[in-house]
Coordinates of all heavy atoms in Angstrom, one line a residue:
M695 N 131.0 43.1 30.3 CA 131.5 44.5 30.1 C 133.0 44.3 29.7 O 133.7 43.6 30.3 CB 131.4 45.3 31.4 CG 131.9 46.7 31.3 SD 131.6 47.7 32.8 CE 129.9 47.9 32.8
T696 N 133.3 45.0 28.7 CA 134.7 45.0 28.2 C 135.5 46.2 28.7 O 134.9 47.1 29.2 CB 134.7 45.0 26.6 OG1 134.2 46.2 26.2 CG2 133.9 43.8 26.1
K697 N 136.8 46.1 28.5 CA 137.6 47.2 28.9 C 137.2 48.5 28.1 O 137.2 49.6 28.7 CB 139.1 46.9 28.6 CG 140.0 48.0 29.2 CD 141.5 47.5 29.0 CE 142.4 48.6 29.6 NZ 143.8 48.3 29.6
Q698 N 136.8 48.3 26.9 CA 136.4 49.5 26.1 C 135.1 50.1 26.7 O 135.0 51.3 26.8 CB 136.1 49.0 24.7 CG 135.7 50.2 23.7 CD 135.5 49.7 22.3 OE1 135.6 48.5 22.0 NE2 135.1 50.6 21.5
A699 N 134.2 49.2 27.2 CA 133.0 49.7 27.8 C 133.3 50.5 29.1 O 132.7 51.5 29.4 CB 132.0 48.6 28.0
V700 N 134.2 50.0 29.9 CA 134.6 50.6 31.1 C 135.2 52.0 30.8 O 134.8 53.0 31.4 CB 135.6 49.7 31.9 CG1 136.2 50.5 33.1 CG2 134.9 48.5 32.4
T701 N 136.2 52.0 29.9 CA 136.8 53.3 29.6 C 135.8 54.3 29.0 O 135.9 55.5 29.3 CB 138.0 53.1 28.7 OG1 137.7 52.4 27.5 CG2 139.1 52.4 29.4
E702 N 134.9 53.8 28.2 CA 133.9 54.7 27.6 C 133.0 55.2 28.7 O 132.6 56.4 28.7 CB 133.0 54.0 26.6 CG 131.9 54.8 25.9 CD 132.4 56.0 25.2 OE1 133.6 56.2 24.9 OE2 131.6 56.9 24.9
T703 N 132.6 54.4 29.7 CA 131.8 54.9 30.8 C 132.5 55.9 31.6 O 131.9 56.9 32.0 CB 131.4 53.7 31.8 OG1 130.7 52.7 31.0 CG2 130.6 54.1 32.9
I704 N 133.8 55.7 31.9 CA 134.6 56.7 32.6 C 134.7 58.0 31.8 O 134.5 59.1 32.3 CB 136.0 56.2 32.8 CG1 136.0 55.0 33.9 CG2 137.0 57.3 33.3 CD1 137.3 54.3 34.1
R705 N 134.8 57.9 30.5 CA 134.8 59.1 29.6 C 133.5 59.9 29.8 O 133.5 61.1 29.9 CB 135.1 58.8 28.2 CG 135.3 60.0 27.3 CD 135.2 59.7 25.8 NE 133.8 59.2 25.4 CZ 132.7 59.9 25.3 NH1 132.7 61.2 25.6 NH2 131.6 59.4 24.9
I706 N 132.4 59.2 29.7 CA 131.1 59.8 29.8 C 131.0 60.5 31.2 O 130.5 61.6 31.3 CB 130.0 58.8 29.6 CG1 130.0 58.3 28.1 CG2 128.6 59.3 30.0 CD1 129.1 57.1 27.8
C707 N 131.4 59.8 32.2 CA 131.3 60.4 33.6 C 132.1 61.7 33.6 O 131.7 62.7 34.2 CB 131.8 59.4 34.6 SG 130.6 58.1 34.9
K708 N 133.3 61.6 33.1 CA 134.2 62.8 33.1 C 133.6 63.9 32.3 O 133.6 65.1 32.7 CB 135.6 62.5 32.6 CG 136.3 61.6 33.6 CD 137.8 61.4 33.4 CE 138.4 61.1 32.1 NZ 139.8 60.7 32.1
D709 N 133.0 63.6 31.1 CA 132.3 64.6 30.3 C 131.1 65.3 31.0 O 130.8 66.5 30.8 CB 131.8 64.0 29.0 CG 132.9 63.7 28.0 OD1 134.1 64.1 28.3 OD2 132.7 63.0 27.0
R710 N 130.5 64.5 31.9 CA 129.3 65.0 32.6 C 129.7 65.5 34.0 O 128.8 65.8 34.8 CB 128.2 63.9 32.7 CG 127.7 63.5 31.4 CD 126.6 62.5 31.5 NE 126.1 62.1 30.2 CZ 125.3 61.1 30.0 NH1 124.8 60.4 31.0 NH2 124.9 60.8 28.8
N711 N 131.0 65.6 34.2 CA 131.5 66.2 35.5 C 131.1 65.3 36.7 O 130.8 65.9 37.8 CB 131.1 67.6 35.6 CG 132.1 68.4 36.5 OD1 133.2 68.0 36.6 ND2 131.7 69.5 37.1
I712 N 131.0 64.0 36.5 CA 130.7 63.1 37.5 C 132.0 62.5 38.0 O 132.6 61.7 37.2 CB 129.7 62.0 37.1 CG1 128.4 62.7 36.6 CG2 129.4 61.0 38.2 CD1 127.5 61.7 35.9
L713 N 132.4 62.7 39.2 CA 133.6 62.2 39.8 C 134.8 62.6 38.9 O 135.8 61.8 38.8 CB 133.5 60.7 40.1 CG 132.5 60.3 41.1 CD1 132.4 58.8 41.0 CD2 132.8 60.8 42.5
K714 N 134.7 63.7 38.2 CA 135.7 64.0 37.2 C 137.2 64.0 37.7 O 138.1 63.4 37.2 CB 135.4 65.3 36.5 CG 136.3 65.7 35.4 CD 135.9 67.0 34.7 CE 136.8 67.3 33.5 NZ 136.3 68.4 32.8
Q715 N 137.3 64.7 38.8 CA 138.7 64.8 39.4 C 139.2 63.5 39.9 O 140.3 63.1 39.6 CB 138.6 65.8 40.6 CG 140.0 66.1 41.2 CD 140.0 67.2 42.3 OE1 138.9 67.7 42.6 NE2 141.1 67.4 42.8
Y716 N 138.4 62.7 40.5 CA 138.8 61.4 41.0 C 139.1 60.5 39.8 O 140.1 59.8 39.8 CB 137.7 60.7 41.9 CG 138.0 59.4 42.4 CD1 138.9 59.2 43.5 CD2 137.6 58.2 41.7 CE1 139.2 58.0 43.9 CE2 138.0 57.0 42.1 CZ 138.8 56.9 43.3 OH 139.1 55.6 43.7
L717 N 138.2 60.5 38.8 CA 138.4 59.6 37.7 C 139.7 60.0 36.9 O 140.4 59.2 36.3 CB 137.2 59.6 36.8 CG 136.0 58.8 37.4 CD1 134.8 59.0 36.5 CD2 136.3 57.4 37.6
S718 N 139.9 61.3 36.8 CA 141.1 61.8 36.1 C 142.4 61.3 36.8 O 143.4 60.9 36.1 CB 141.1 63.3 36.0 OG 140.0 63.7 35.2
S719 N 142.4 61.2 38.1 CA 143.6 60.9 38.8 C 143.7 59.4 39.0 O 144.8 58.8 39.2 CB 143.7 61.6 40.1 OG 142.7 61.2 41.0
K720 N 142.6 58.6 39.0 CA 142.6 57.2 39.4 C 142.0 56.3 38.3 O 141.6 55.2 38.5 CB 141.8 57.0 40.6 CG 142.2 57.8 41.8 CD 143.4 57.2 42.5 CE 143.7 57.9 43.8 NZ 144.9 57.4 44.4
E721 N 142.1 56.8 37.0 CA 141.4 56.1 35.9 C 142.0 54.6 35.8 O 141.2 53.7 35.6 CB 141.5 56.8 34.6 CG 140.8 56.1 33.5 CD 140.7 57.0 32.3 OE1 140.9 58.2 32.3 OE2 140.4 56.4 31.2
V722 N 143.3 54.5 35.9 CA 143.9 53.1 35.7 C 143.4 52.2 36.8 O 143.0 51.0 36.5 CB 145.4 53.2 35.7 CG1 146.0 51.8 35.7 CG2 145.9 54.0 34.5
E723 N 143.3 52.7 38.0 CA 142.9 51.8 39.1 C 141.4 51.5 39.0 O 141.0 50.4 39.2 CB 143.1 52.5 40.5 CG 144.6 52.7 40.9 CD 145.2 54.0 40.4 OE1 144.6 54.7 39.5 OE2 146.3 54.3 40.8
V724 N 140.6 52.5 38.6 CA 139.2 52.2 38.4 C 138.9 51.2 37.3 O 138.1 50.3 37.5 CB 138.4 53.5 38.1 CG1 137.0 53.2 37.7 CG2 138.4 54.5 39.3
V725 N 139.6 51.3 36.2 CA 139.5 50.3 35.1 C 139.9 48.9 35.6 O 139.2 47.9 35.4 CB 140.4 50.7 33.9 CG1 140.4 49.6 32.9 CG2 139.8 52.0 33.2
T726 N 141.0 48.8 36.3 CA 141.5 47.6 36.9 C 140.4 46.9 37.8 O 140.1 45.7 37.7 CB 142.8 47.7 37.6 OG1 143.8 48.3 36.7 CG2 143.3 46.4 38.2
I727 N 139.9 47.7 38.7 CA 138.9 47.2 39.6 C 137.6 46.8 38.9 O 137.1 45.7 39.2 CB 138.5 48.3 40.7 CG1 139.7 48.5 41.6 CG2 137.3 48.0 41.5 CD1 139.6 49.8 42.5
M728 N 137.2 47.6 37.9 CA 135.9 47.3 37.2 C 136.1 46.0 36.4 O 135.2 45.1 36.4 CB 135.5 48.4 36.3 CG 135.0 49.6 37.0 SD 133.6 49.4 38.0 CE 132.4 49.0 36.8
M729 N 137.3 45.8 35.8 CA 137.5 44.6 35.0 C 137.6 43.4 35.9 O 137.1 42.3 35.6 CB 138.8 44.7 34.2 CG 138.7 45.8 33.1 SD 137.3 45.5 32.0 CE 137.7 44.0 31.3
S730 N 138.2 43.6 37.1 CA 138.3 42.5 38.1 C 136.9 42.1 38.6 O 136.5 40.9 38.7 CB 139.1 42.9 39.3 OG 139.1 41.9 40.3
L731 N 136.0 43.1 38.8 CA 134.6 42.8 39.2 C 133.9 42.1 38.1 O 133.1 41.2 38.4 CB 133.9 44.1 39.6 CG 134.4 44.8 40.9 CD1 133.7 46.1 41.0 CD2 134.1 43.9 42.1
F732 N 134.1 42.5 36.9 CA 133.5 41.9 35.8 C 133.9 40.4 35.7 O 133.1 39.5 35.5 CB 133.8 42.6 34.5 CG 133.3 41.8 33.3 CD1 132.0 41.7 32.9 CD2 134.3 41.2 32.5 CE1 131.6 41.0 31.8 CE2 133.9 40.5 31.3 CZ 132.5 40.4 31.0
D733 N 135.2 40.2 35.8 CA 135.7 38.8 35.8 C 135.1 37.9 36.8 O 134.6 36.8 36.6 CB 137.2 38.8 35.9 CG 137.9 39.3 34.7 OD1 137.3 39.4 33.6 OD2 139.1 39.6 34.8
D734 N 135.0 38.5 38.1 CA 134.4 37.7 39.2 C 132.9 37.4 38.9 O 132.4 36.3 39.1 CB 134.5 38.5 40.5 CG 135.9 38.5 41.0 OD1 136.8 37.8 40.5 OD2 136.2 39.3 41.9
E735 N 132.2 38.4 38.4 CA 130.8 38.3 38.0 C 130.6 37.3 36.9 O 129.7 36.4 37.0 CB 130.2 39.7 37.6 CG 128.8 39.7 37.5 CD 128.3 41.1 37.2 OE1 128.7 42.1 37.9 OE2 127.5 41.2 36.2
Q736 N 131.4 37.3 35.9 CA 131.4 36.3 34.8 C 131.6 34.9 35.3 O 130.9 34.0 34.9 CB 132.4 36.7 33.7 CG 132.3 35.9 32.5 CD 131.0 36.1 31.8 OE1 130.4 37.2 31.8 NE2 130.6 35.1 31.1
I737 N 132.6 34.8 36.2 CA 132.9 33.4 36.8 C 131.6 32.9 37.6 O 131.2 31.8 37.4 CB 134.1 33.5 37.7 CG1 135.3 33.7 36.9 CG2 134.2 32.3 38.6 CD1 136.6 34.1 37.7
M738 N 131.0 33.8 38.4 CA 129.8 33.4 39.1 C 128.6 33.0 38.2 O 127.9 32.0 38.4 CB 129.4 34.5 40.1 CG 130.2 34.6 41.3 SD 130.3 33.0 42.2 CE 128.6 32.8 42.8
R739 N 128.5 33.8 37.1 CA 127.4 33.5 36.1 C 127.6 32.1 35.5 O 126.7 31.3 35.4 CB 127.3 34.5 35.1 CG 126.3 35.6 35.4 CD 126.0 36.5 34.2 NE 126.4 37.8 34.5 CZ 127.3 38.5 33.9 NH1 127.9 38.0 32.8 NH2 127.7 39.7 34.3
T740 N 128.9 31.9 35.1 CA 129.2 30.6 34.5 C 129.0 29.4 35.4 O 128.4 28.4 35.1 CB 130.7 30.6 34.0 OG1 130.8 31.7 33.0 CG2 131.1 29.3 33.3
Y741 N 129.4 29.6 36.7 CA 129.3 28.6 37.7 C 127.8 28.3 37.9 O 127.4 27.1 38.0 CB 130.0 29.1 39.0 CG 129.8 28.1 40.2 CD1 130.4 26.9 40.2 CD2 128.9 28.4 41.2 CE1 130.3 26.0 41.3 CE2 128.7 27.5 42.3 CZ 129.4 26.3 42.3 OH 129.2 25.5 43.3
T742 N 127.0 29.3 38.0 CA 125.6 29.2 38.3 C 124.9 28.4 37.1 O 124.1 27.5 37.3 CB 124.9 30.6 38.4 OG1 125.5 31.2 39.6 CG2 123.4 30.4 38.7
K743 N 125.3 28.8 35.9 CA 124.8 28.1 34.7 C 125.1 26.6 34.7 O 124.3 25.7 34.4 CB 125.2 28.7 33.4 CG 124.5 30.0 33.1 CD 125.1 30.6 31.8 CE 124.4 32.0 31.5 NZ 125.0 32.6 30.3
D744 N 126.4 26.3 35.1 CA 126.8 24.9 35.2 C 126.0 24.2 36.2 O 125.6 23.0 36.0 CB 128.3 24.9 35.5 CG 129.2 25.3 34.4 OD1 128.7 25.4 33.3 OD2 130.4 25.5 34.7
I745 N 125.8 24.8 37.4 CA 125.0 24.1 38.4 C 123.5 23.9 37.9 O 123.0 22.8 38.1 CB 124.9 25.0 39.7 CG1 126.3 25.1 40.3 CG2 123.9 24.4 40.7 CD1 126.9 23.8 40.9
E746 N 123.0 24.9 37.2 CA 121.6 24.7 36.7 C 121.6 23.6 35.7 O 120.6 22.8 35.7 CB 121.1 26.0 36.1 CG 120.8 27.1 37.1 CD 120.6 28.5 36.5 OE1 120.7 28.6 35.2 OE2 120.3 29.4 37.2
K747 N 122.5 23.5 34.8 CA 122.6 22.5 33.8 C 122.7 21.1 34.4 O 122.0 20.2 34.0 CB 123.8 22.8 32.8 CG 123.8 21.9 31.6 CD 122.9 22.3 30.6 CE 123.2 21.7 29.2 NZ 122.6 22.3 28.1
E748 N 123.5 21.0 35.4 CA 123.7 19.7 36.1 C 122.4 19.3 36.8 O 122.0 18.1 36.7 CB 124.8 19.8 37.1 CG 125.1 18.5 37.8 CD 125.6 17.4 36.8 OE1 126.1 17.7 35.7 OE2 125.3 16.2 37.1
T749 N 121.7 20.2 37.4 CA 120.4 20.0 38.0 C 119.4 19.5 37.0 O 118.7 18.5 37.2 CB 119.9 21.2 38.8 OG1 120.9 21.6 39.7 CG2 118.5 21.0 39.4
E750 N 119.4 20.2 35.8 CA 118.4 19.8 34.8 C 118.8 18.4 34.2 O 117.9 17.6 34.0 CB 118.5 20.8 33.6 CG 117.9 22.1 34.0 CD 118.3 23.3 33.1 OE1 119.2 23.1 32.3 OE2 117.6 24.3 33.2
R751 N 120.1 18.1 34.1 CA 120.5 16.7 33.6 C 120.0 15.7 34.6 O 119.5 14.6 34.3 CB 122.0 16.7 33.4 CG 122.5 17.4 32.2 CD 124.0 17.3 32.0 NE 124.3 15.9 31.7 CZ 124.3 15.3 30.5 NH1 123.9 16.0 29.4 NH2 124.7 14.1 30.3
K752 N 120.2 15.9 35.9 CA 119.8 14.9 36.9 C 118.3 14.8 37.0 O 117.8 13.6 37.1 CB 120.3 15.4 38.3 CG 121.8 15.2 38.5 CD 122.3 15.6 39.8 CE 123.8 15.4 39.9 NZ 124.4 15.7 41.2
T753 N 117.6 15.8 36.8 CA 116.1 15.7 36.7 C 115.7 14.9 35.5 O 114.9 14.0 35.6 CB 115.5 17.1 36.6 OG1 115.8 17.9 37.8 CG2 114.0 17.1 36.5
A754 N 116.3 15.2 34.4 CA 116.0 14.4 33.2 C 116.4 12.9 33.4 O 115.6 12.0 33.0 CB 116.8 14.9 32.0
E755 N 117.5 12.7 34.0 CA 117.9 11.3 34.3 C 116.9 10.6 35.1 O 116.5 9.4 34.8 CB 119.2 11.3 35.0 CG 119.8 10.0 35.2 CD 121.2 10.0 35.9 OE1 122.1 10.8 35.4 OE2 121.4 9.3 36.9
R756 N 116.4 11.2 36.2 CA 115.3 10.6 37.0 C 114.1 10.3 36.2 O 113.4 9.3 36.4 CB 115.0 11.5 38.2 CG 116.1 11.5 39.3 CD 115.7 12.1 40.6 NE 115.1 13.4 40.5 CZ 115.8 14.5 40.5 NH1 117.1 14.5 40.6 NH2 115.2 15.7 40.4
M757 N 113.7 11.3 35.4 CA 112.5 11.1 34.6 C 112.6 9.9 33.6 O 111.7 9.2 33.4 CB 112.1 12.4 33.8 CG 111.8 13.6 34.7 SD 111.7 15.1 33.9 CE 109.9 15.1 33.4
I758 N 113.8 9.8 33.0 CA 114.0 8.7 32.1 C 114.0 7.4 32.8 O 113.4 6.4 32.3 CB 115.4 8.9 31.3 CG1 115.3 10.1 30.4 CG2 115.8 7.7 30.6 CD1 116.6 10.6 29.8
K759 N 114.6 7.4 34.0 CA 114.6 6.1 34.8 C 113.2 5.7 35.1 O 112.9 4.5 35.1 CB 115.4 6.3 36.1 CG 116.9 6.3 35.8 CD 117.7 6.5 37.2 CE 119.2 6.5 37.0 NZ 119.9 6.7 38.2
K760 N 112.3 6.6 35.4 CA 110.9 6.3 35.7 C 110.3 5.6 34.5 O 109.4 4.8 34.7 CB 110.1 7.5 36.1 CG 110.5 8.1 37.5 CD 109.7 7.5 38.6 CE 110.1 8.2 39.9 NZ 109.6 7.4 41.0
G761 N 110.6 6.0 33.3 CA 110.1 5.4 32.1 C 108.6 5.7 31.8 O 108.0 5.0 31.1
K762 N 108.1 6.8 32.4 CA 106.7 7.1 32.2 C 106.5 8.2 31.1 O 105.4 8.4 30.8 CB 106.1 7.5 33.5 CG 106.1 6.4 34.5 CD 105.4 6.8 35.8 CE 105.4 5.7 36.8 NZ 104.6 5.9 37.9
M763 N 107.6 8.8 30.6 CA 107.5 9.8 29.7 C 108.4 9.6 28.5 O 109.5 9.0 28.7 CB 107.8 11.2 30.3 CG 106.9 11.6 31.4 SD 107.5 13.1 32.2 CE 106.7 14.3 31.1
T764 N 108.0 10.0 27.3 CA 108.9 10.0 26.2 C 109.9 11.1 26.3 O 109.7 12.1 27.0 CB 108.1 10.1 24.9 OG1 107.6 11.5 24.8 CG2 107.0 9.1 24.8
L765 N 111.0 11.0 25.5 CA 112.0 12.0 25.5 C 111.3 13.4 25.0 O 111.7 14.4 25.5 CB 113.1 11.7 24.6 CG 114.1 10.6 25.1 CD1 115.2 10.4 24.1 CD2 114.6 10.8 26.5
E766 N 110.4 13.3 24.1 CA 109.7 14.5 23.6 C 109.0 15.2 24.7 O 109.0 16.4 24.9 CB 108.7 14.1 22.5 CG 109.4 13.7 21.2 CD 109.8 12.3 21.1 OE1 109.5 11.5 22.1 OE2 110.4 11.9 20.1
E767 N 108.3 14.4 25.6 CA 107.6 14.9 26.7 C 108.6 15.6 27.7 O 108.3 16.6 28.3 CB 106.7 13.9 27.4 CG 105.6 13.4 26.5 CD 104.9 12.2 27.1 OE1 105.5 11.3 27.6 OE2 103.6 12.2 27.0
I768 N 109.7 14.9 28.0 CA 110.7 15.4 28.9 C 111.2 16.7 28.3 O 111.4 17.7 29.1 CB 111.8 14.3 29.1 CG1 111.2 13.1 29.9 CG2 112.9 15.0 29.9 CD1 112.1 12.0 30.0
A769 N 111.5 16.8 27.0 CA 112.0 18.0 26.4 C 111.0 19.2 26.6 O 111.5 20.3 26.8 CB 112.2 17.8 24.9
D770 N 109.7 18.9 26.7 CA 108.8 20.0 27.0 C 108.9 20.5 28.4 O 108.7 21.7 28.6 CB 107.3 19.4 26.8 CG 106.9 19.2 25.4 OD1 107.6 19.8 24.5 OD2 106.0 18.5 25.1
Y771 N 109.3 19.6 29.3 CA 109.4 20.0 30.7 C 110.8 20.6 31.0 O 111.0 21.4 32.0 CB 109.1 18.9 31.7 CG 107.7 18.6 31.7 CD1 107.2 17.5 31.0 CD2 106.8 19.3 32.5 CE1 105.8 17.2 31.0 CE2 105.5 19.0 32.6 CZ 105.0 18.0 31.8 OH 103.6 17.7 31.8
I772 N 111.8 20.2 30.2 CA 113.2 20.7 30.5 C 113.7 21.3 29.1 O 114.6 20.6 28.5 CB 114.1 19.6 31.0 CG1 113.4 18.9 32.2 CG2 115.5 20.1 31.4 CD1 114.2 17.7 32.7
P773 N 113.2 22.4 28.7 CA 113.6 22.9 27.4 C 115.1 23.4 27.3 O 115.6 23.5 26.2 CB 112.7 24.1 27.2 CG 112.2 24.5 28.6 CD 112.2 23.2 29.4
A774 N 115.7 23.5 28.4 CA 117.1 23.9 28.4 C 118.0 22.8 27.8 O 119.1 23.1 27.4 CB 117.6 24.3 29.8
L775 N 117.6 21.6 27.9 CA 118.3 20.5 27.3 C 117.8 20.1 25.9 O 116.6 20.0 25.7 CB 118.1 19.2 28.2 CG 118.7 19.3 29.6 CD1 118.3 18.0 30.4 CD2 120.2 19.5 29.6
S776 N 118.8 20.0 25.0 CA 118.4 19.7 23.7 C 118.0 18.2 23.6 O 118.3 17.4 24.5 CB 119.6 19.9 22.7 OG 120.6 18.9 22.9
F777 N 117.3 17.9 22.5 CA 116.8 16.5 22.3 C 118.0 15.6 22.2 O 118.0 14.5 22.8 CB 116.0 16.4 21.1 CG 115.2 15.1 21.0 CD1 114.1 14.9 21.8 CD2 115.6 14.1 20.1 CE1 113.5 13.7 21.7 CE2 115.0 12.9 20.0 CZ 113.9 12.7 20.9
D778 N 119.1 16.0 21.6 CA 120.3 15.2 21.5 C 120.9 15.0 22.9 O 121.4 13.9 23.2 CB 121.4 15.9 20.6 CG 121.0 15.8 19.1 OD1 120.2 14.9 18.8 OD2 121.5 16.6 18.3
E779 N 120.9 16.0 23.8 CA 121.4 15.8 25.1 C 120.5 14.8 25.9 O 121.0 14.0 26.6 CB 121.4 17.1 25.9 CG 122.5 18.1 25.4 CD 122.4 19.5 26.0 OE1 121.3 20.1 25.9 OE2 123.4 19.9 26.6
L780 N 119.2 14.9 25.7 CA 118.3 13.9 26.3 C 118.6 12.5 25.8 O 118.6 11.5 26.6 CB 116.9 14.3 26.1 CG 116.4 15.5 26.8 CD1 115.0 15.9 26.3 CD2 116.4 15.3 28.3
K781 N 118.9 12.3 24.5 CA 119.2 11.0 24.0 C 120.5 10.5 24.6 O 120.6 9.3 24.9 CB 119.3 11.0 22.5 CG 117.9 11.2 21.8 CD 117.9 10.8 20.3 CE 118.9 11.6 19.5 NZ 118.7 11.5 18.0
E782 N 121.4 11.4 24.8 CA 122.7 11.0 25.4 C 122.5 10.6 26.9 O 123.1 9.6 27.3 CB 123.7 12.2 25.4 CG 125.0 12.1 26.0 CD 125.8 13.3 26.0 OE1 126.0 13.9 24.9 OE2 126.2 13.8 27.1
I783 N 121.7 11.3 27.6 CA 121.4 10.9 29.0 C 120.7 9.6 29.0 O 121.0 8.7 29.8 CB 120.5 12.0 29.7 CG1 121.3 13.3 29.8 CG2 120.0 11.6 31.0 CD1 120.5 14.6 30.2
E784 N 119.7 9.4 28.1 CA 119.0 8.1 28.0 C 120.0 7.0 27.8 O 119.9 5.9 28.4 CB 118.0 8.2 26.9 CG 117.2 6.9 26.8 CD 116.2 7.0 25.6 OE1 116.6 7.3 24.5 OE2 115.0 6.6 25.8
A785 N 120.9 7.2 26.9 CA 121.9 6.1 26.6 C 122.7 5.8 27.8 O 123.0 4.6 28.1 CB 122.8 6.6 25.4
E786 N 123.1 6.8 28.6 CA 123.9 6.6 29.8 C 123.0 5.8 30.8 O 123.5 4.9 31.5 CB 124.3 8.0 30.4 CG 125.3 8.7 29.6 CD 125.6 10.1 30.1 OE1 125.1 10.5 31.2 OE2 126.3 10.9 29.4
V787 N 121.8 6.2 31.0 CA 120.9 5.5 31.9 C 120.7 4.1 31.5 O 120.8 3.2 32.4 CB 119.5 6.2 32.0 CG1 118.5 5.4 32.7 CG2 119.6 7.6 32.6
M788 N 120.6 3.8 30.3 CA 120.4 2.4 29.8 C 121.6 1.6 30.0 O 121.6 0.4 30.3 CB 120.0 2.4 28.3 CG 118.7 3.0 28.0 SD 117.4 2.3 29.0 CE 116.2 3.5 29.1
Q789 N 122.8 2.2 29.9 CA 124.1 1.5 30.2 C 124.2 1.1 31.6 O 124.7 0.0 32.0 CB 125.3 2.3 29.8 CG 125.6 2.3 28.3 CD 126.9 3.1 28.0 OE1 127.3 3.9 28.8 NE2 127.4 2.9 26.8
L790 N 123.7 2.0 32.5 CA 123.8 1.7 33.9 C 122.8 0.7 34.4 O 122.9 0.1 35.5 CB 123.6 3.0 34.7 CG 124.7 4.0 34.5 CD1 124.4 5.3 35.2 CD2 126.1 3.5 35.0
A791 N 121.7 0.5 33.6 CA 120.6 -0.4 34.0 C 121.0 -1.8 33.9 O 121.9 -2.3 33.3 CB 119.4 -0.1 33.2

């Protein structure tokens, strides 16, 4: 949500007489709070994606170490990782071996 979206939502609420008096007197504070909430939410989404990506990388690493599947097969099971990322993980695993 952008600041423009927040201010547009406030405008729509005021037009529809939803919390009109409150929003008219506290619009700046409401925008600030909404933007802060959005920032916090965005941070959590990004953190969650990073955790998921790391989990997928570790899973792929374990699968590569087992050596029972090709990278193409692993890509079928972990589609969030690109084939290039899988090759990179494979190279890292081989260096450690």
Side-chain angles (χ1 to χ4, degrees):
M695 185 177 286
T696 65
K697 186 174 182 177
Q698 182 181 359
V700 171
T701 56
E702 180 62 14
T703 302
I704 291 171
R705 184 195 64 75
I706 291 169
C707 288
K708 290 191 316 191
D709 287 351
R710 294 181 182 173
N711 207 21
I712 301 169
L713 298 171
K714 184 175 184 175
Q715 186 176 359
Y716 180 81
L717 291 172
S718 294
S719 66
K720 303 284 188 182
E721 185 169 343
V722 172
E723 291 90 345
V724 171
V725 169
T726 301
I727 289 168
M728 292 300 292
M729 293 307 296
S730 175
L731 290 173
F732 170 72
D733 289 344
D734 291 347
E735 191 176 308
Q736 185 66 30
I737 289 167
M738 283 304 293
R739 266 193 243 119
T740 301
Y741 176 74
T742 301
K743 285 180 184 176
D744 288 348
I745 295 292
E746 289 170 358
K747 186 79 164 193
E748 185 60 27
T749 300
E750 290 162 346
R751 288 183 64 84
K752 286 181 180 182
T753 299
E755 184 178 312
R756 286 193 309 273
M757 294 171 89
I758 291 167
K759 283 180 182 177
K760 290 269 185 196
K762 295 183 179 187
M763 298 176 84
T764 66
L765 290 184
E766 289 83 4
E767 291 169 322
I768 294 171
D770 287 341
Y771 288 99
I772 310 176
L775 295 175
S776 71
F777 193 74
D778 287 339
E779 288 173 305
L780 290 172
K781 288 196 306 192
E782 178 183 304
I783 295 167
E784 181 183 50
E786 291 170 10
V787 167
M788 294 307 156
Q789 279 184 339
L790 297 174

